[in-house]
mmCIF file of all heavy atoms in Angstrom:
data_model
loop_
_atom_site.group_PDB
_atom_site.id
_atom_site.type_symbol
_atom_site.label_atom_id
_atom_site.label_comp_id
_atom_site.label_asym_id
_atom_site.label_seq_id
_atom_site.Cartn_x
_atom_site.Cartn_y
_atom_site.Cartn_z
ATOM 1 N N THR U 1 3.410 -38.261 88.057
ATOM 2 C CA THR U 1 2.956 -39.012 89.233
ATOM 3 C C THR U 1 1.577 -39.644 89.083
ATOM 4 O O THR U 1 1.189 -40.467 89.921
ATOM 5 C CB THR U 1 2.910 -38.087 90.457
ATOM 6 O OG1 THR U 1 1.958 -37.038 90.215
ATOM 7 C CG2 THR U 1 4.279 -37.477 90.735
ATOM 8 N N GLY U 2 0.828 -39.257 88.063
ATOM 9 C CA GLY U 2 -0.537 -39.748 87.940
ATOM 10 C C GLY U 2 -1.548 -38.938 88.716
ATOM 11 O O GLY U 2 -2.727 -39.308 88.798
ATOM 12 N N ALA U 3 -1.100 -37.827 89.302
ATOM 13 C CA ALA U 3 -2.042 -36.930 89.982
ATOM 14 C C ALA U 3 -2.873 -36.164 88.953
ATOM 15 O O ALA U 3 -2.582 -36.187 87.752
ATOM 16 C CB ALA U 3 -1.286 -35.970 90.898
ATOM 17 N N LYS U 4 -3.870 -35.458 89.421
ATOM 18 C CA LYS U 4 -4.793 -34.756 88.536
ATOM 19 C C LYS U 4 -4.762 -33.263 88.833
ATOM 20 O O LYS U 4 -4.776 -32.855 89.999
ATOM 21 C CB LYS U 4 -6.215 -35.294 88.747
ATOM 22 C CG LYS U 4 -7.286 -34.588 87.916
ATOM 23 C CD LYS U 4 -8.665 -35.155 88.253
ATOM 24 C CE LYS U 4 -9.773 -34.423 87.477
ATOM 25 N NZ LYS U 4 -11.115 -34.935 87.855
ATOM 26 N N LEU U 5 -4.718 -32.452 87.776
ATOM 27 C CA LEU U 5 -4.782 -31.005 87.935
ATOM 28 C C LEU U 5 -6.249 -30.569 87.919
ATOM 29 O O LEU U 5 -7.002 -30.896 87.000
ATOM 30 C CB LEU U 5 -4.029 -30.303 86.809
ATOM 31 C CG LEU U 5 -3.824 -28.791 86.988
ATOM 32 C CD1 LEU U 5 -2.799 -28.515 88.080
ATOM 33 C CD2 LEU U 5 -3.391 -28.147 85.676
ATOM 34 N N VAL U 6 -6.659 -29.831 88.952
ATOM 35 C CA VAL U 6 -8.035 -29.347 89.089
ATOM 36 C C VAL U 6 -7.994 -27.820 89.070
ATOM 37 O O VAL U 6 -7.093 -27.205 89.641
ATOM 38 C CB VAL U 6 -8.668 -29.849 90.402
ATOM 39 C CG1 VAL U 6 -10.086 -29.308 90.573
ATOM 40 C CG2 VAL U 6 -8.667 -31.378 90.430
ATOM 41 N N VAL U 7 -8.978 -27.206 88.405
ATOM 42 C CA VAL U 7 -8.959 -25.755 88.206
ATOM 43 C C VAL U 7 -10.189 -25.115 88.845
ATOM 44 O O VAL U 7 -11.334 -25.495 88.553
ATOM 45 C CB VAL U 7 -8.924 -25.394 86.703
ATOM 46 C CG1 VAL U 7 -8.844 -23.878 86.530
ATOM 47 C CG2 VAL U 7 -7.740 -26.076 86.020
ATOM 48 N N ALA U 8 -9.960 -24.122 89.710
ATOM 49 C CA ALA U 8 -11.050 -23.318 90.276
ATOM 50 C C ALA U 8 -11.332 -22.160 89.326
ATOM 51 O O ALA U 8 -10.426 -21.373 89.025
ATOM 52 C CB ALA U 8 -10.657 -22.787 91.651
ATOM 53 N N PRO U 9 -12.558 -22.017 88.832
ATOM 54 C CA PRO U 9 -12.851 -21.022 87.792
ATOM 55 C C PRO U 9 -12.989 -19.609 88.350
ATOM 56 O O PRO U 9 -13.155 -19.395 89.555
ATOM 57 C CB PRO U 9 -14.177 -21.508 87.227
ATOM 58 C CG PRO U 9 -14.844 -22.188 88.379
ATOM 59 C CD PRO U 9 -13.733 -22.845 89.155
ATOM 60 N N ILE U 10 -12.932 -18.650 87.434
ATOM 61 C CA ILE U 10 -13.156 -17.241 87.768
ATOM 62 C C ILE U 10 -14.488 -16.794 87.194
ATOM 63 O O ILE U 10 -15.056 -17.424 86.296
ATOM 64 C CB ILE U 10 -12.017 -16.348 87.253
ATOM 65 C CG1 ILE U 10 -11.891 -16.441 85.721
ATOM 66 C CG2 ILE U 10 -10.717 -16.715 87.935
ATOM 67 C CD1 ILE U 10 -10.859 -15.490 85.130
ATOM 68 N N ASP U 11 -14.994 -15.673 87.712
ATOM 69 C CA ASP U 11 -16.239 -15.110 87.193
ATOM 70 C C ASP U 11 -15.921 -14.017 86.181
ATOM 71 O O ASP U 11 -14.759 -13.790 85.820
ATOM 72 C CB ASP U 11 -17.121 -14.589 88.329
ATOM 73 C CG ASP U 11 -16.448 -13.503 89.163
ATOM 74 O OD1 ASP U 11 -15.504 -12.843 88.662
ATOM 75 O OD2 ASP U 11 -16.847 -13.308 90.332
ATOM 76 N N GLU U 12 -16.952 -13.323 85.721
ATOM 77 C CA GLU U 12 -16.760 -12.322 84.672
ATOM 78 C C GLU U 12 -16.064 -11.075 85.185
ATOM 79 O O GLU U 12 -15.630 -10.235 84.396
ATOM 80 C CB GLU U 12 -18.103 -11.977 84.032
ATOM 81 C CG GLU U 12 -18.689 -13.122 83.231
ATOM 82 C CD GLU U 12 -17.669 -13.736 82.275
ATOM 83 O OE1 GLU U 12 -17.139 -12.995 81.431
ATOM 84 O OE2 GLU U 12 -17.385 -14.938 82.400
ATOM 85 N N ARG U 13 -15.949 -10.934 86.479
ATOM 86 C CA ARG U 13 -15.195 -9.815 87.028
ATOM 87 C C ARG U 13 -13.699 -10.113 87.071
ATOM 88 O O ARG U 13 -12.878 -9.202 87.221
ATOM 89 C CB ARG U 13 -15.688 -9.486 88.438
ATOM 90 C CG ARG U 13 -17.132 -9.032 88.510
ATOM 91 C CD ARG U 13 -17.508 -8.555 89.897
ATOM 92 N NE ARG U 13 -16.757 -7.352 90.277
ATOM 93 C CZ ARG U 13 -17.108 -6.566 91.304
ATOM 94 N NH1 ARG U 13 -18.159 -6.854 92.031
ATOM 95 N NH2 ARG U 13 -16.379 -5.508 91.600
ATOM 96 N N GLY U 14 -13.345 -11.391 86.973
ATOM 97 C CA GLY U 14 -11.947 -11.774 87.092
ATOM 98 C C GLY U 14 -11.572 -12.184 88.491
ATOM 99 O O GLY U 14 -10.387 -12.181 88.846
ATOM 100 N N ASP U 15 -12.549 -12.560 89.301
ATOM 101 C CA ASP U 15 -12.301 -13.055 90.647
ATOM 102 C C ASP U 15 -12.525 -14.566 90.675
ATOM 103 O O ASP U 15 -13.442 -15.082 90.010
ATOM 104 C CB ASP U 15 -13.253 -12.406 91.661
ATOM 105 C CG ASP U 15 -12.910 -10.957 91.940
ATOM 106 O OD1 ASP U 15 -11.723 -10.669 92.165
ATOM 107 O OD2 ASP U 15 -13.831 -10.114 91.934
ATOM 108 N N VAL U 16 -11.716 -15.265 91.472
ATOM 109 C CA VAL U 16 -11.969 -16.686 91.697
ATOM 110 C C VAL U 16 -13.302 -16.822 92.423
ATOM 111 O O VAL U 16 -13.573 -16.110 93.394
ATOM 112 C CB VAL U 16 -10.840 -17.317 92.522
ATOM 113 C CG1 VAL U 16 -11.131 -18.789 92.808
ATOM 114 C CG2 VAL U 16 -9.506 -17.171 91.795
ATOM 115 N N ILE U 17 -14.162 -17.726 91.959
ATOM 116 C CA ILE U 17 -15.486 -17.914 92.559
ATOM 117 C C ILE U 17 -15.310 -18.709 93.855
ATOM 118 O O ILE U 17 -14.920 -19.891 93.821
ATOM 119 C CB ILE U 17 -16.415 -18.662 91.599
ATOM 120 C CG1 ILE U 17 -16.511 -17.909 90.261
ATOM 121 C CG2 ILE U 17 -17.802 -18.837 92.217
ATOM 122 C CD1 ILE U 17 -17.211 -18.689 89.163
ATOM 123 N N PRO U 18 -15.570 -18.105 95.010
ATOM 124 C CA PRO U 18 -15.267 -18.774 96.282
ATOM 125 C C PRO U 18 -15.957 -20.122 96.442
ATOM 126 O O PRO U 18 -15.345 -21.085 96.926
ATOM 127 C CB PRO U 18 -15.748 -17.768 97.336
ATOM 128 C CG PRO U 18 -15.752 -16.443 96.642
ATOM 129 C CD PRO U 18 -16.102 -16.741 95.218
ATOM 130 N N GLN U 19 -17.219 -20.186 96.041
ATOM 131 C CA GLN U 19 -17.957 -21.439 96.214
ATOM 132 C C GLN U 19 -17.367 -22.559 95.350
ATOM 133 O O GLN U 19 -17.332 -23.727 95.758
ATOM 134 C CB GLN U 19 -19.438 -21.236 95.859
ATOM 135 C CG GLN U 19 -20.148 -20.207 96.720
ATOM 136 C CD GLN U 19 -20.035 -18.798 96.145
ATOM 137 O OE1 GLN U 19 -19.117 -18.478 95.382
ATOM 138 N NE2 GLN U 19 -20.992 -17.948 96.508
ATOM 139 N N GLU U 20 -16.920 -22.182 94.137
ATOM 140 C CA GLU U 20 -16.348 -23.187 93.243
ATOM 141 C C GLU U 20 -14.974 -23.645 93.739
ATOM 142 O O GLU U 20 -14.612 -24.815 93.591
ATOM 143 C CB GLU U 20 -16.244 -22.632 91.815
ATOM 144 C CG GLU U 20 -17.590 -22.340 91.171
ATOM 145 C CD GLU U 20 -18.426 -23.598 91.028
ATOM 146 O OE1 GLU U 20 -17.856 -24.682 90.776
ATOM 147 O OE2 GLU U 20 -19.654 -23.519 91.183
ATOM 148 N N TYR U 21 -14.222 -22.708 94.299
ATOM 149 C CA TYR U 21 -12.939 -23.075 94.905
ATOM 150 C C TYR U 21 -13.184 -24.073 96.040
ATOM 151 O O TYR U 21 -12.540 -25.136 96.109
ATOM 152 C CB TYR U 21 -12.230 -21.833 95.425
ATOM 153 C CG TYR U 21 -11.028 -22.131 96.304
ATOM 154 C CD1 TYR U 21 -9.787 -22.434 95.741
ATOM 155 C CD2 TYR U 21 -11.135 -22.128 97.697
ATOM 156 C CE1 TYR U 21 -8.687 -22.721 96.547
ATOM 157 C CE2 TYR U 21 -10.035 -22.411 98.504
ATOM 158 C CZ TYR U 21 -8.823 -22.706 97.921
ATOM 159 O OH TYR U 21 -7.746 -22.992 98.724
ATOM 160 N N ALA U 22 -14.106 -23.750 96.934
ATOM 161 C CA ALA U 22 -14.381 -24.626 98.082
ATOM 162 C C ALA U 22 -14.892 -25.985 97.629
ATOM 163 O O ALA U 22 -14.551 -27.025 98.218
ATOM 164 C CB ALA U 22 -15.391 -23.948 99.007
ATOM 165 N N ARG U 23 -15.701 -25.988 96.566
ATOM 166 C CA ARG U 23 -16.282 -27.244 96.086
ATOM 167 C C ARG U 23 -15.214 -28.189 95.531
ATOM 168 O O ARG U 23 -15.373 -29.414 95.566
ATOM 169 C CB ARG U 23 -17.318 -26.939 95.007
ATOM 170 C CG ARG U 23 -18.212 -28.114 94.628
ATOM 171 C CD ARG U 23 -19.402 -27.667 93.817
ATOM 172 N NE ARG U 23 -19.018 -27.198 92.499
ATOM 173 C CZ ARG U 23 -18.819 -27.995 91.443
ATOM 174 N NH1 ARG U 23 -18.945 -29.303 91.577
ATOM 175 N NH2 ARG U 23 -18.511 -27.503 90.278
ATOM 176 N N ARG U 24 -14.127 -27.637 95.059
ATOM 177 C CA ARG U 24 -13.077 -28.456 94.461
ATOM 178 C C ARG U 24 -12.053 -28.952 95.480
ATOM 179 O O ARG U 24 -11.194 -29.753 95.144
ATOM 180 C CB ARG U 24 -12.398 -27.685 93.332
ATOM 181 C CG ARG U 24 -13.264 -27.642 92.063
ATOM 182 C CD ARG U 24 -12.863 -26.520 91.136
ATOM 183 N NE ARG U 24 -13.610 -26.598 89.885
ATOM 184 C CZ ARG U 24 -14.874 -26.226 89.740
ATOM 185 N NH1 ARG U 24 -15.551 -25.753 90.777
ATOM 186 N NH2 ARG U 24 -15.480 -26.319 88.563
ATOM 187 N N LEU U 25 -12.131 -28.452 96.685
ATOM 188 C CA LEU U 25 -11.271 -28.950 97.757
ATOM 189 C C LEU U 25 -11.845 -30.251 98.316
ATOM 190 O O LEU U 25 -13.055 -30.381 98.469
ATOM 191 C CB LEU U 25 -11.177 -27.930 98.892
ATOM 192 C CG LEU U 25 -10.285 -26.709 98.704
ATOM 193 C CD1 LEU U 25 -10.498 -25.748 99.859
ATOM 194 C CD2 LEU U 25 -8.816 -27.106 98.596
ATOM 195 N N GLY U 26 -10.973 -31.186 98.612
ATOM 196 C CA GLY U 26 -11.462 -32.433 99.188
ATOM 197 C C GLY U 26 -10.315 -33.272 99.718
ATOM 198 O O GLY U 26 -9.155 -32.849 99.737
ATOM 199 N N GLU U 27 -10.617 -34.485 100.093
ATOM 200 C CA GLU U 27 -9.616 -35.350 100.712
ATOM 201 C C GLU U 27 -8.512 -35.739 99.733
ATOM 202 O O GLU U 27 -7.421 -36.138 100.146
ATOM 203 C CB GLU U 27 -10.278 -36.609 101.270
ATOM 204 C CG GLU U 27 -10.969 -37.465 100.228
ATOM 205 C CD GLU U 27 -11.636 -38.678 100.836
ATOM 206 O OE1 GLU U 27 -11.815 -38.708 102.063
ATOM 207 O OE2 GLU U 27 -11.976 -39.605 100.061
ATOM 208 N N ARG U 28 -8.774 -35.594 98.416
ATOM 209 C CA ARG U 28 -7.747 -35.907 97.425
ATOM 210 C C ARG U 28 -6.812 -34.727 97.156
ATOM 211 O O ARG U 28 -5.771 -34.900 96.528
ATOM 212 C CB ARG U 28 -8.398 -36.340 96.108
ATOM 213 C CG ARG U 28 -9.151 -37.659 96.189
ATOM 214 C CD ARG U 28 -9.764 -38.006 94.839
ATOM 215 N NE ARG U 28 -10.461 -39.280 94.874
ATOM 216 C CZ ARG U 28 -9.885 -40.467 94.625
ATOM 217 N NH1 ARG U 28 -8.597 -40.517 94.326
ATOM 218 N NH2 ARG U 28 -10.587 -41.581 94.661
ATOM 219 N N THR U 29 -7.178 -33.526 97.616
ATOM 220 C CA THR U 29 -6.373 -32.342 97.347
ATOM 221 C C THR U 29 -5.092 -32.382 98.171
ATOM 222 O O THR U 29 -5.133 -32.334 99.396
ATOM 223 C CB THR U 29 -7.150 -31.050 97.679
ATOM 224 O OG1 THR U 29 -8.436 -31.086 97.054
ATOM 225 C CG2 THR U 29 -6.379 -29.832 97.189
ATOM 226 N N ARG U 30 -3.959 -32.460 97.494
ATOM 227 C CA ARG U 30 -2.670 -32.492 98.192
ATOM 228 C C ARG U 30 -1.963 -31.138 98.147
ATOM 229 O O ARG U 30 -1.206 -30.799 99.052
ATOM 230 C CB ARG U 30 -1.763 -33.562 97.578
ATOM 231 C CG ARG U 30 -2.272 -34.979 97.728
ATOM 232 C CD ARG U 30 -2.295 -35.428 99.188
ATOM 233 N NE ARG U 30 -1.033 -35.225 99.873
ATOM 234 C CZ ARG U 30 0.021 -36.027 99.780
ATOM 235 N NH1 ARG U 30 -0.027 -37.108 99.010
ATOM 236 N NH2 ARG U 30 1.122 -35.770 100.455
#
């Protein structure tokens, strides 16, 4: 489709970093 895959990173504990997850959300996120 031409869409883009975006990845929310994890920290050294193995948890998704909440701030990085939120930062990657936007009007283009479907």
Side-chain angles (χ1 to χ4, degrees):
T1 62
K4 177 183 178 183
L5 190 72
V6 178
V7 182
I10 60 175
D11 59 22
E12 292 311 302
R13 297 187 65 165
D15 287 313
V16 178
I17 303 170
Q19 299 89 336
E20 295 298 325
Y21 169 82
R23 192 166 68 84
R24 284 160 174 77
L25 283 172
E27 61 181 15
R28 293 180 178 271
T29 310
R30 296 294 308 280

